[in-house]
Amino acid sequence: MEGKFWKVSLKKSVDEETGIGYIHKPLQQPHPPIAVPGTSPNSPSMRMAGRRGFQPFGHCLIAGNVLADTWNTYESAAREAGRQPRRADWKVARSIFLADSTAEAKRLARSNSLGKNFEYIGRLCDKLGGRRMYKRDQAMSDADCNLDYLMGEQIIAGSPDEVLRRLLGLIEETGPFGTLVLMSYDWDDKQRWLHSMELFAREVMPKLQKAVCA
């Protein structure tokens, strides 16, 4: 490949004796599971994943009802392809921040790296045609997809009890899934992020597991 700034020759970077430079096939057979994220209603990515037997991955940037739609799209495509979809394979990512009180958690999440991340992505969307990915209702205006809206939808911030309530509400809307993926953000305040993770692990997850497995 000869570009304007870089010239890359695969032949020069391959050593046949050591195997360096090759893209090796996975040792694990069958290959490790491949998960595909979906970010829109009637997601083409979810249709492709369902047909090919890849695992569905619920993106952290989408609203709960869109998340539910991605599973429905995936499930339909899988069944049409003669595959048996399993909710246990569904991974759902959420942006979660905990503090000792809900008021404190919301105040911090609005201004720390979590809130700043969503605002940054919102500005990128503004340049690329709009904030469709954030919307619960596609008739919403982009201006309404602000941090106030996000705090009640994509961002889950609160005390352990409030976070548990929000997660159970999400599961009620989407149906069960196999794995909850906690999104990671820069530790702009290390101690508060560590405290959030500790509350999540020690107080939220045991109660959530008990509630969904009851």
Side-chain angles (χ1 to χ4, degrees), residues 53-90:
F54 298 156
Q55 294 182 352
F57 189 96
H59 206 293
C60 71
L61 297 178
I62 60 178
N65 64 325
V66 179
L67 192 62
D69 185 84
T70 61
W71 169 261
N72 293 335
T73 302
Y74 173 86
E75 182 180 38
S76 296
R79 294 192 186 281
E80 288 170 5
R83 299 182 182 277
Q84 181 62 44
R86 300 189 332 131
R87 280 184 173 269
D89 293 334
W90 190 19

PDB file of all heavy atoms in Angstrom, residues 53-90:
ATOM      1  N   GLY A  53     -25.010 -16.225  13.004  1.00  0.00           N
ATOM      2  CA  GLY A  53     -24.768 -16.890  14.277  1.00  0.00           C
ATOM      3  C   GLY A  53     -23.807 -16.148  15.180  1.00  0.00           C
ATOM      4  O   GLY A  53     -23.252 -16.736  16.114  1.00  0.00           O
ATOM      5  N   PHE A  54     -23.594 -14.858  14.919  1.00  0.00           N
ATOM      6  CA  PHE A  54     -22.790 -14.051  15.825  1.00  0.00           C
ATOM      7  C   PHE A  54     -23.640 -13.650  17.026  1.00  0.00           C
ATOM      8  O   PHE A  54     -24.873 -13.681  16.973  1.00  0.00           O
ATOM      9  CB  PHE A  54     -22.267 -12.797  15.119  1.00  0.00           C
ATOM     10  CG  PHE A  54     -21.360 -13.078  13.946  1.00  0.00           C
ATOM     11  CD1 PHE A  54     -21.215 -12.137  12.935  1.00  0.00           C
ATOM     12  CD2 PHE A  54     -20.666 -14.274  13.842  1.00  0.00           C
ATOM     13  CE1 PHE A  54     -20.378 -12.379  11.856  1.00  0.00           C
ATOM     14  CE2 PHE A  54     -19.825 -14.532  12.769  1.00  0.00           C
ATOM     15  CZ  PHE A  54     -19.684 -13.580  11.768  1.00  0.00           C
ATOM     16  N   GLN A  55     -22.998 -13.242  18.111  1.00  0.00           N
ATOM     17  CA  GLN A  55     -23.732 -12.849  19.312  1.00  0.00           C
ATOM     18  C   GLN A  55     -24.155 -11.383  19.221  1.00  0.00           C
ATOM     19  O   GLN A  55     -23.428 -10.554  18.676  1.00  0.00           O
ATOM     20  CB  GLN A  55     -22.871 -13.065  20.550  1.00  0.00           C
ATOM     21  CG  GLN A  55     -22.573 -14.528  20.831  1.00  0.00           C
ATOM     22  CD  GLN A  55     -21.760 -14.730  22.093  1.00  0.00           C
ATOM     23  OE1 GLN A  55     -21.278 -13.774  22.697  1.00  0.00           O
ATOM     24  NE2 GLN A  55     -21.592 -15.974  22.513  1.00  0.00           N
ATOM     25  N   PRO A  56     -25.323 -11.044  19.773  1.00  0.00           N
ATOM     26  CA  PRO A  56     -25.781  -9.646  19.759  1.00  0.00           C
ATOM     27  C   PRO A  56     -25.191  -8.872  20.927  1.00  0.00           C
ATOM     28  O   PRO A  56     -25.047  -9.399  22.035  1.00  0.00           O
ATOM     29  CB  PRO A  56     -27.298  -9.785  19.898  1.00  0.00           C
ATOM     30  CG  PRO A  56     -27.482 -11.039  20.698  1.00  0.00           C
ATOM     31  CD  PRO A  56     -26.350 -11.960  20.326  1.00  0.00           C
ATOM     32  N   PHE A  57     -24.856  -7.614  20.662  1.00  0.00           N
ATOM     33  CA  PHE A  57     -24.273  -6.744  21.695  1.00  0.00           C
ATOM     34  C   PHE A  57     -25.084  -5.454  21.749  1.00  0.00           C
ATOM     35  O   PHE A  57     -25.173  -4.732  20.751  1.00  0.00           O
ATOM     36  CB  PHE A  57     -22.813  -6.436  21.366  1.00  0.00           C
ATOM     37  CG  PHE A  57     -22.065  -5.728  22.463  1.00  0.00           C
ATOM     38  CD1 PHE A  57     -21.297  -6.439  23.363  1.00  0.00           C
ATOM     39  CD2 PHE A  57     -22.146  -4.341  22.608  1.00  0.00           C
ATOM     40  CE1 PHE A  57     -20.610  -5.796  24.375  1.00  0.00           C
ATOM     41  CE2 PHE A  57     -21.472  -3.694  23.613  1.00  0.00           C
ATOM     42  CZ  PHE A  57     -20.702  -4.418  24.501  1.00  0.00           C
ATOM     43  N   GLY A  58     -25.689  -5.173  22.889  1.00  0.00           N
ATOM     44  CA  GLY A  58     -26.488  -3.972  23.055  1.00  0.00           C
ATOM     45  C   GLY A  58     -25.615  -2.757  23.328  1.00  0.00           C
ATOM     46  O   GLY A  58     -24.930  -2.698  24.348  1.00  0.00           O
ATOM     47  N   HIS A  59     -25.640  -1.803  22.439  1.00  0.00           N
ATOM     48  CA  HIS A  59     -24.766  -0.626  22.537  1.00  0.00           C
ATOM     49  C   HIS A  59     -25.184   0.282  23.687  1.00  0.00           C
ATOM     50  O   HIS A  59     -26.370   0.452  23.964  1.00  0.00           O
ATOM     51  CB  HIS A  59     -24.805   0.144  21.219  1.00  0.00           C
ATOM     52  CG  HIS A  59     -23.578   0.952  20.959  1.00  0.00           C
ATOM     53  ND1 HIS A  59     -23.229   2.044  21.708  1.00  0.00           N
ATOM     54  CD2 HIS A  59     -22.603   0.801  20.031  1.00  0.00           C
ATOM     55  CE1 HIS A  59     -22.101   2.556  21.240  1.00  0.00           C
ATOM     56  NE2 HIS A  59     -21.697   1.818  20.224  1.00  0.00           N
ATOM     57  N   CYS A  60     -24.196   0.899  24.326  1.00  0.00           N
ATOM     58  CA  CYS A  60     -24.476   1.756  25.487  1.00  0.00           C
ATOM     59  C   CYS A  60     -25.106   3.086  25.096  1.00  0.00           C
ATOM     60  O   CYS A  60     -25.652   3.790  25.950  1.00  0.00           O
ATOM     61  CB  CYS A  60     -23.192   2.015  26.277  1.00  0.00           C
ATOM     62  SG  CYS A  60     -22.001   3.098  25.448  1.00  0.00           S
ATOM     63  N   LEU A  61     -25.055   3.465  23.827  1.00  0.00           N
ATOM     64  CA  LEU A  61     -25.512   4.798  23.418  1.00  0.00           C
ATOM     65  C   LEU A  61     -26.989   4.837  23.034  1.00  0.00           C
ATOM     66  O   LEU A  61     -27.523   5.920  22.777  1.00  0.00           O
ATOM     67  CB  LEU A  61     -24.679   5.300  22.230  1.00  0.00           C
ATOM     68  CG  LEU A  61     -23.185   5.507  22.496  1.00  0.00           C
ATOM     69  CD1 LEU A  61     -22.486   5.960  21.214  1.00  0.00           C
ATOM     70  CD2 LEU A  61     -22.950   6.519  23.607  1.00  0.00           C
ATOM     71  N   ILE A  62     -27.651   3.684  23.000  1.00  0.00           N
ATOM     72  CA  ILE A  62     -29.025   3.677  22.518  1.00  0.00           C
ATOM     73  C   ILE A  62     -30.035   3.568  23.662  1.00  0.00           C
ATOM     74  O   ILE A  62     -29.714   3.089  24.749  1.00  0.00           O
ATOM     75  CB  ILE A  62     -29.262   2.536  21.506  1.00  0.00           C
ATOM     76  CG1 ILE A  62     -28.989   1.161  22.129  1.00  0.00           C
ATOM     77  CG2 ILE A  62     -28.386   2.743  20.281  1.00  0.00           C
ATOM     78  CD1 ILE A  62     -29.264  -0.006  21.193  1.00  0.00           C
ATOM     79  N   ALA A  63     -31.246   4.030  23.396  1.00  0.00           N
ATOM     80  CA  ALA A  63     -32.308   4.030  24.400  1.00  0.00           C
ATOM     81  C   ALA A  63     -32.851   2.615  24.612  1.00  0.00           C
ATOM     82  O   ALA A  63     -32.637   1.716  23.803  1.00  0.00           O
ATOM     83  CB  ALA A  63     -33.436   4.960  23.950  1.00  0.00           C
ATOM     84  N   GLY A  64     -33.576   2.449  25.718  1.00  0.00           N
ATOM     85  CA  GLY A  64     -34.064   1.132  26.078  1.00  0.00           C
ATOM     86  C   GLY A  64     -34.971   0.500  25.048  1.00  0.00           C
ATOM     87  O   GLY A  64     -34.885  -0.708  24.777  1.00  0.00           O
ATOM     88  N   ASN A  65     -35.868   1.278  24.462  1.00  0.00           N
ATOM     89  CA  ASN A  65     -36.783   0.699  23.476  1.00  0.00           C
ATOM     90  C   ASN A  65     -36.054   0.288  22.194  1.00  0.00           C
ATOM     91  O   ASN A  65     -36.420  -0.695  21.550  1.00  0.00           O
ATOM     92  CB  ASN A  65     -37.935   1.664  23.160  1.00  0.00           C
ATOM     93  CG  ASN A  65     -37.464   2.946  22.515  1.00  0.00           C
ATOM     94  OD1 ASN A  65     -36.387   3.460  22.818  1.00  0.00           O
ATOM     95  ND2 ASN A  65     -38.275   3.502  21.634  1.00  0.00           N
ATOM     96  N   VAL A  66     -35.010   1.040  21.833  1.00  0.00           N
ATOM     97  CA  VAL A  66     -34.208   0.669  20.663  1.00  0.00           C
ATOM     98  C   VAL A  66     -33.404  -0.590  20.979  1.00  0.00           C
ATOM     99  O   VAL A  66     -33.234  -1.474  20.126  1.00  0.00           O
ATOM    100  CB  VAL A  66     -33.288   1.822  20.235  1.00  0.00           C
ATOM    101  CG1 VAL A  66     -32.444   1.426  19.024  1.00  0.00           C
ATOM    102  CG2 VAL A  66     -34.102   3.075  19.928  1.00  0.00           C
ATOM    103  N   LEU A  67     -32.921  -0.672  22.195  1.00  0.00           N
ATOM    104  CA  LEU A  67     -32.211  -1.863  22.641  1.00  0.00           C
ATOM    105  C   LEU A  67     -33.107  -3.096  22.501  1.00  0.00           C
ATOM    106  O   LEU A  67     -32.680  -4.141  21.988  1.00  0.00           O
ATOM    107  CB  LEU A  67     -31.783  -1.678  24.095  1.00  0.00           C
ATOM    108  CG  LEU A  67     -30.793  -2.666  24.689  1.00  0.00           C
ATOM    109  CD1 LEU A  67     -29.467  -2.609  23.951  1.00  0.00           C
ATOM    110  CD2 LEU A  67     -30.579  -2.351  26.168  1.00  0.00           C
ATOM    111  N   ALA A  68     -34.352  -2.970  22.945  1.00  0.00           N
ATOM    112  CA  ALA A  68     -35.301  -4.078  22.818  1.00  0.00           C
ATOM    113  C   ALA A  68     -35.517  -4.436  21.349  1.00  0.00           C
ATOM    114  O   ALA A  68     -35.608  -5.619  20.987  1.00  0.00           O
ATOM    115  CB  ALA A  68     -36.628  -3.709  23.472  1.00  0.00           C
ATOM    116  N   ASP A  69     -35.589  -3.424  20.482  1.00  0.00           N
ATOM    117  CA  ASP A  69     -35.798  -3.670  19.055  1.00  0.00           C
ATOM    118  C   ASP A  69     -34.613  -4.396  18.427  1.00  0.00           C
ATOM    119  O   ASP A  69     -34.805  -5.238  17.532  1.00  0.00           O
ATOM    120  CB  ASP A  69     -36.031  -2.346  18.332  1.00  0.00           C
ATOM    121  CG  ASP A  69     -36.366  -2.534  16.863  1.00  0.00           C
ATOM    122  OD1 ASP A  69     -37.545  -2.763  16.556  1.00  0.00           O
ATOM    123  OD2 ASP A  69     -35.432  -2.488  16.024  1.00  0.00           O
ATOM    124  N   THR A  70     -33.400  -4.103  18.896  1.00  0.00           N
ATOM    125  CA  THR A  70     -32.235  -4.795  18.326  1.00  0.00           C
ATOM    126  C   THR A  70     -32.310  -6.286  18.597  1.00  0.00           C
ATOM    127  O   THR A  70     -31.950  -7.101  17.749  1.00  0.00           O
ATOM    128  CB  THR A  70     -30.904  -4.222  18.861  1.00  0.00           C
ATOM    129  OG1 THR A  70     -30.830  -4.388  20.280  1.00  0.00           O
ATOM    130  CG2 THR A  70     -30.734  -2.758  18.491  1.00  0.00           C
ATOM    131  N   TRP A  71     -32.794  -6.657  19.807  1.00  0.00           N
ATOM    132  CA  TRP A  71     -32.947  -8.090  20.073  1.00  0.00           C
ATOM    133  C   TRP A  71     -34.018  -8.699  19.168  1.00  0.00           C
ATOM    134  O   TRP A  71     -33.818  -9.772  18.605  1.00  0.00           O
ATOM    135  CB  TRP A  71     -33.298  -8.361  21.527  1.00  0.00           C
ATOM    136  CG  TRP A  71     -33.705  -9.800  21.697  1.00  0.00           C
ATOM    137  CD1 TRP A  71     -34.980 -10.302  21.752  1.00  0.00           C
ATOM    138  CD2 TRP A  71     -32.841 -10.931  21.717  1.00  0.00           C
ATOM    139  NE1 TRP A  71     -34.955 -11.680  21.828  1.00  0.00           N
ATOM    140  CE2 TRP A  71     -33.650 -12.096  21.800  1.00  0.00           C
ATOM    141  CE3 TRP A  71     -31.457 -11.080  21.678  1.00  0.00           C
ATOM    142  CZ2 TRP A  71     -33.117 -13.382  21.847  1.00  0.00           C
ATOM    143  CZ3 TRP A  71     -30.918 -12.367  21.721  1.00  0.00           C
ATOM    144  CH2 TRP A  71     -31.743 -13.487  21.808  1.00  0.00           C
ATOM    145  N   ASN A  72     -35.144  -8.023  19.022  1.00  0.00           N
ATOM    146  CA  ASN A  72     -36.217  -8.556  18.184  1.00  0.00           C
ATOM    147  C   ASN A  72     -35.744  -8.748  16.744  1.00  0.00           C
ATOM    148  O   ASN A  72     -36.081  -9.742  16.085  1.00  0.00           O
ATOM    149  CB  ASN A  72     -37.431  -7.631  18.225  1.00  0.00           C
ATOM    150  CG  ASN A  72     -38.083  -7.590  19.594  1.00  0.00           C
ATOM    151  OD1 ASN A  72     -37.964  -8.533  20.381  1.00  0.00           O
ATOM    152  ND2 ASN A  72     -38.760  -6.494  19.901  1.00  0.00           N
ATOM    153  N   THR A  73     -34.968  -7.782  16.266  1.00  0.00           N
ATOM    154  CA  THR A  73     -34.424  -7.879  14.905  1.00  0.00           C
ATOM    155  C   THR A  73     -33.474  -9.061  14.795  1.00  0.00           C
ATOM    156  O   THR A  73     -33.515  -9.839  13.828  1.00  0.00           O
ATOM    157  CB  THR A  73     -33.698  -6.576  14.526  1.00  0.00           C
ATOM    158  OG1 THR A  73     -34.607  -5.475  14.637  1.00  0.00           O
ATOM    159  CG2 THR A  73     -33.133  -6.638  13.120  1.00  0.00           C
ATOM    160  N   TYR A  74     -32.607  -9.192  15.783  1.00  0.00           N
ATOM    161  CA  TYR A  74     -31.644 -10.294  15.808  1.00  0.00           C
ATOM    162  C   TYR A  74     -32.364 -11.642  15.868  1.00  0.00           C
ATOM    163  O   TYR A  74     -32.050 -12.570  15.115  1.00  0.00           O
ATOM    164  CB  TYR A  74     -30.724 -10.130  17.018  1.00  0.00           C
ATOM    165  CG  TYR A  74     -29.788 -11.288  17.248  1.00  0.00           C
ATOM    166  CD1 TYR A  74     -28.556 -11.351  16.595  1.00  0.00           C
ATOM    167  CD2 TYR A  74     -30.116 -12.316  18.127  1.00  0.00           C
ATOM    168  CE1 TYR A  74     -27.689 -12.410  16.805  1.00  0.00           C
ATOM    169  CE2 TYR A  74     -29.261 -13.380  18.339  1.00  0.00           C
ATOM    170  CZ  TYR A  74     -28.045 -13.426  17.679  1.00  0.00           C
ATOM    171  OH  TYR A  74     -27.193 -14.476  17.889  1.00  0.00           O
ATOM    172  N   GLU A  75     -33.346 -11.743  16.756  1.00  0.00           N
ATOM    173  CA  GLU A  75     -34.069 -12.999  16.942  1.00  0.00           C
ATOM    174  C   GLU A  75     -34.776 -13.425  15.659  1.00  0.00           C
ATOM    175  O   GLU A  75     -34.718 -14.599  15.255  1.00  0.00           O
ATOM    176  CB  GLU A  75     -35.080 -12.848  18.077  1.00  0.00           C
ATOM    177  CG  GLU A  75     -35.855 -14.119  18.391  1.00  0.00           C
ATOM    178  CD  GLU A  75     -36.838 -13.925  19.527  1.00  0.00           C
ATOM    179  OE1 GLU A  75     -37.462 -12.836  19.598  1.00  0.00           O
ATOM    180  OE2 GLU A  75     -36.978 -14.847  20.345  1.00  0.00           O
ATOM    181  N   SER A  76     -35.441 -12.477  15.003  1.00  0.00           N
ATOM    182  CA  SER A  76     -36.152 -12.802  13.764  1.00  0.00           C
ATOM    183  C   SER A  76     -35.196 -13.290  12.687  1.00  0.00           C
ATOM    184  O   SER A  76     -35.472 -14.285  11.995  1.00  0.00           O
ATOM    185  CB  SER A  76     -36.923 -11.575  13.269  1.00  0.00           C
ATOM    186  OG  SER A  76     -37.928 -11.202  14.185  1.00  0.00           O
ATOM    187  N   ALA A  77     -34.062 -12.600  12.550  1.00  0.00           N
ATOM    188  CA  ALA A  77     -33.090 -12.993  11.521  1.00  0.00           C
ATOM    189  C   ALA A  77     -32.494 -14.357  11.815  1.00  0.00           C
ATOM    190  O   ALA A  77     -32.275 -15.162  10.900  1.00  0.00           O
ATOM    191  CB  ALA A  77     -31.988 -11.942  11.426  1.00  0.00           C
ATOM    192  N   ALA A  78     -32.237 -14.620  13.086  1.00  0.00           N
ATOM    193  CA  ALA A  78     -31.668 -15.917  13.453  1.00  0.00           C
ATOM    194  C   ALA A  78     -32.643 -17.050  13.129  1.00  0.00           C
ATOM    195  O   ALA A  78     -32.261 -18.080  12.553  1.00  0.00           O
ATOM    196  CB  ALA A  78     -31.311 -15.927  14.936  1.00  0.00           C
ATOM    197  N   ARG A  79     -33.900 -16.872  13.480  1.00  0.00           N
ATOM    198  CA  ARG A  79     -34.895 -17.925  13.228  1.00  0.00           C
ATOM    199  C   ARG A  79     -35.112 -18.130  11.728  1.00  0.00           C
ATOM    200  O   ARG A  79     -35.291 -19.269  11.271  1.00  0.00           O
ATOM    201  CB  ARG A  79     -36.202 -17.578  13.933  1.00  0.00           C
ATOM    202  CG  ARG A  79     -36.096 -17.590  15.461  1.00  0.00           C
ATOM    203  CD  ARG A  79     -37.458 -17.527  16.125  1.00  0.00           C
ATOM    204  NE  ARG A  79     -37.341 -17.389  17.566  1.00  0.00           N
ATOM    205  CZ  ARG A  79     -37.064 -18.391  18.399  1.00  0.00           C
ATOM    206  NH1 ARG A  79     -36.859 -19.610  17.917  1.00  0.00           N
ATOM    207  NH2 ARG A  79     -36.980 -18.181  19.706  1.00  0.00           N
ATOM    208  N   GLU A  80     -35.099 -17.039  10.972  1.00  0.00           N
ATOM    209  CA  GLU A  80     -35.252 -17.166   9.522  1.00  0.00           C
ATOM    210  C   GLU A  80     -34.100 -17.965   8.909  1.00  0.00           C
ATOM    211  O   GLU A  80     -34.271 -18.635   7.890  1.00  0.00           O
ATOM    212  CB  GLU A  80     -35.319 -15.777   8.885  1.00  0.00           C
ATOM    213  CG  GLU A  80     -36.629 -15.043   9.159  1.00  0.00           C
ATOM    214  CD  GLU A  80     -36.569 -13.596   8.714  1.00  0.00           C
ATOM    215  OE1 GLU A  80     -35.547 -13.200   8.104  1.00  0.00           O
ATOM    216  OE2 GLU A  80     -37.548 -12.853   8.968  1.00  0.00           O
ATOM    217  N   ALA A  81     -32.926 -17.879   9.552  1.00  0.00           N
ATOM    218  CA  ALA A  81     -31.757 -18.610   9.059  1.00  0.00           C
ATOM    219  C   ALA A  81     -31.675 -20.020   9.641  1.00  0.00           C
ATOM    220  O   ALA A  81     -30.696 -20.733   9.407  1.00  0.00           O
ATOM    221  CB  ALA A  81     -30.483 -17.837   9.398  1.00  0.00           C
ATOM    222  N   GLY A  82     -32.690 -20.394  10.408  1.00  0.00           N
ATOM    223  CA  GLY A  82     -32.699 -21.730  10.995  1.00  0.00           C
ATOM    224  C   GLY A  82     -31.856 -21.854  12.233  1.00  0.00           C
ATOM    225  O   GLY A  82     -31.502 -22.971  12.649  1.00  0.00           O
ATOM    226  N   ARG A  83     -31.530 -20.720  12.860  1.00  0.00           N
ATOM    227  CA  ARG A  83     -30.723 -20.732  14.082  1.00  0.00           C
ATOM    228  C   ARG A  83     -31.620 -20.520  15.302  1.00  0.00           C
ATOM    229  O   ARG A  83     -32.703 -19.940  15.200  1.00  0.00           O
ATOM    230  CB  ARG A  83     -29.652 -19.643  14.035  1.00  0.00           C
ATOM    231  CG  ARG A  83     -28.666 -19.802  12.893  1.00  0.00           C
ATOM    232  CD  ARG A  83     -27.592 -18.723  12.928  1.00  0.00           C
ATOM    233  NE  ARG A  83     -26.668 -18.833  11.820  1.00  0.00           N
ATOM    234  CZ  ARG A  83     -25.620 -19.659  11.799  1.00  0.00           C
ATOM    235  NH1 ARG A  83     -25.374 -20.417  12.853  1.00  0.00           N
ATOM    236  NH2 ARG A  83     -24.815 -19.699  10.736  1.00  0.00           N
ATOM    237  N   GLN A  84     -31.146 -20.991  16.442  1.00  0.00           N
ATOM    238  CA  GLN A  84     -31.875 -20.832  17.694  1.00  0.00           C
ATOM    239  C   GLN A  84     -31.231 -19.718  18.512  1.00  0.00           C
ATOM    240  O   GLN A  84     -30.171 -19.919  19.101  1.00  0.00           O
ATOM    241  CB  GLN A  84     -31.865 -22.138  18.496  1.00  0.00           C
ATOM    242  CG  GLN A  84     -32.628 -22.072  19.810  1.00  0.00           C
ATOM    243  CD  GLN A  84     -34.102 -21.778  19.613  1.00  0.00           C
ATOM    244  OE1 GLN A  84     -34.753 -22.341  18.744  1.00  0.00           O
ATOM    245  NE2 GLN A  84     -34.642 -20.879  20.422  1.00  0.00           N
ATOM    246  N   PRO A  85     -31.816 -18.509  18.541  1.00  0.00           N
ATOM    247  CA  PRO A  85     -31.213 -17.411  19.306  1.00  0.00           C
ATOM    248  C   PRO A  85     -31.335 -17.660  20.803  1.00  0.00           C
ATOM    249  O   PRO A  85     -32.338 -18.188  21.277  1.00  0.00           O
ATOM    250  CB  PRO A  85     -32.032 -16.193  18.881  1.00  0.00           C
ATOM    251  CG  PRO A  85     -33.356 -16.761  18.486  1.00  0.00           C
ATOM    252  CD  PRO A  85     -33.083 -18.110  17.892  1.00  0.00           C
ATOM    253  N   ARG A  86     -30.303 -17.265  21.540  1.00  0.00           N
ATOM    254  CA  ARG A  86     -30.303 -17.453  22.990  1.00  0.00           C
ATOM    255  C   ARG A  86     -30.094 -16.110  23.668  1.00  0.00           C
ATOM    256  O   ARG A  86     -29.100 -15.430  23.423  1.00  0.00           O
ATOM    257  CB  ARG A  86     -29.184 -18.409  23.415  1.00  0.00           C
ATOM    258  CG  ARG A  86     -29.279 -19.786  22.825  1.00  0.00           C
ATOM    259  CD  ARG A  86     -28.273 -20.752  23.450  1.00  0.00           C
ATOM    260  NE  ARG A  86     -27.082 -20.095  23.942  1.00  0.00           N
ATOM    261  CZ  ARG A  86     -26.572 -20.299  25.172  1.00  0.00           C
ATOM    262  NH1 ARG A  86     -27.171 -21.113  26.023  1.00  0.00           N
ATOM    263  NH2 ARG A  86     -25.456 -19.693  25.525  1.00  0.00           N
ATOM    264  N   ARG A  87     -31.030 -15.743  24.512  1.00  0.00           N
ATOM    265  CA  ARG A  87     -30.883 -14.484  25.251  1.00  0.00           C
ATOM    266  C   ARG A  87     -29.653 -14.512  26.149  1.00  0.00           C
ATOM    267  O   ARG A  87     -29.097 -13.460  26.483  1.00  0.00           O
ATOM    268  CB  ARG A  87     -32.139 -14.196  26.063  1.00  0.00           C
ATOM    269  CG  ARG A  87     -33.280 -13.602  25.226  1.00  0.00           C
ATOM    270  CD  ARG A  87     -34.476 -13.227  26.077  1.00  0.00           C
ATOM    271  NE  ARG A  87     -35.474 -12.512  25.298  1.00  0.00           N
ATOM    272  CZ  ARG A  87     -35.526 -11.181  25.169  1.00  0.00           C
ATOM    273  NH1 ARG A  87     -34.617 -10.431  25.760  1.00  0.00           N
ATOM    274  NH2 ARG A  87     -36.467 -10.616  24.454  1.00  0.00           N
ATOM    275  N   ALA A  88     -29.221 -15.686  26.554  1.00  0.00           N
ATOM    276  CA  ALA A  88     -28.018 -15.795  27.380  1.00  0.00           C
ATOM    277  C   ALA A  88     -26.781 -15.291  26.641  1.00  0.00           C
ATOM    278  O   ALA A  88     -25.790 -14.903  27.265  1.00  0.00           O
ATOM    279  CB  ALA A  88     -27.813 -17.249  27.818  1.00  0.00           C
ATOM    280  N   ASP A  89     -26.822 -15.263  25.306  1.00  0.00           N
ATOM    281  CA  ASP A  89     -25.691 -14.772  24.514  1.00  0.00           C
ATOM    282  C   ASP A  89     -25.707 -13.254  24.347  1.00  0.00           C
ATOM    283  O   ASP A  89     -24.738 -12.670  23.843  1.00  0.00           O
ATOM    284  CB  ASP A  89     -25.698 -15.411  23.120  1.00  0.00           C
ATOM    285  CG  ASP A  89     -25.424 -16.899  23.173  1.00  0.00           C
ATOM    286  OD1 ASP A  89     -24.770 -17.356  24.130  1.00  0.00           O
ATOM    287  OD2 ASP A  89     -25.877 -17.611  22.247  1.00  0.00           O
ATOM    288  N   TRP A  90     -26.816 -12.632  24.730  1.00  0.00           N
ATOM    289  CA  TRP A  90     -26.984 -11.197  24.508  1.00  0.00           C
ATOM    290  C   TRP A  90     -26.233 -10.417  25.585  1.00  0.00           C
ATOM    291  O   TRP A  90     -26.466 -10.585  26.784  1.00  0.00           O
ATOM    292  CB  TRP A  90     -28.475 -10.845  24.545  1.00  0.00           C
ATOM    293  CG  TRP A  90     -28.802  -9.454  24.098  1.00  0.00           C
ATOM    294  CD1 TRP A  90     -28.037  -8.617  23.357  1.00  0.00           C
ATOM    295  CD2 TRP A  90     -30.019  -8.760  24.369  1.00  0.00           C
ATOM    296  NE1 TRP A  90     -28.691  -7.437  23.122  1.00  0.00           N
ATOM    297  CE2 TRP A  90     -29.909  -7.499  23.740  1.00  0.00           C
ATOM    298  CE3 TRP A  90     -31.184  -9.073  25.071  1.00  0.00           C
ATOM    299  CZ2 TRP A  90     -30.927  -6.546  23.813  1.00  0.00           C
ATOM    300  CZ3 TRP A  90     -32.195  -8.134  25.134  1.00  0.00           C
ATOM    301  CH2 TRP A  90     -32.066  -6.890  24.512  1.00  0.00           C
TER     302      TRP A  90
END
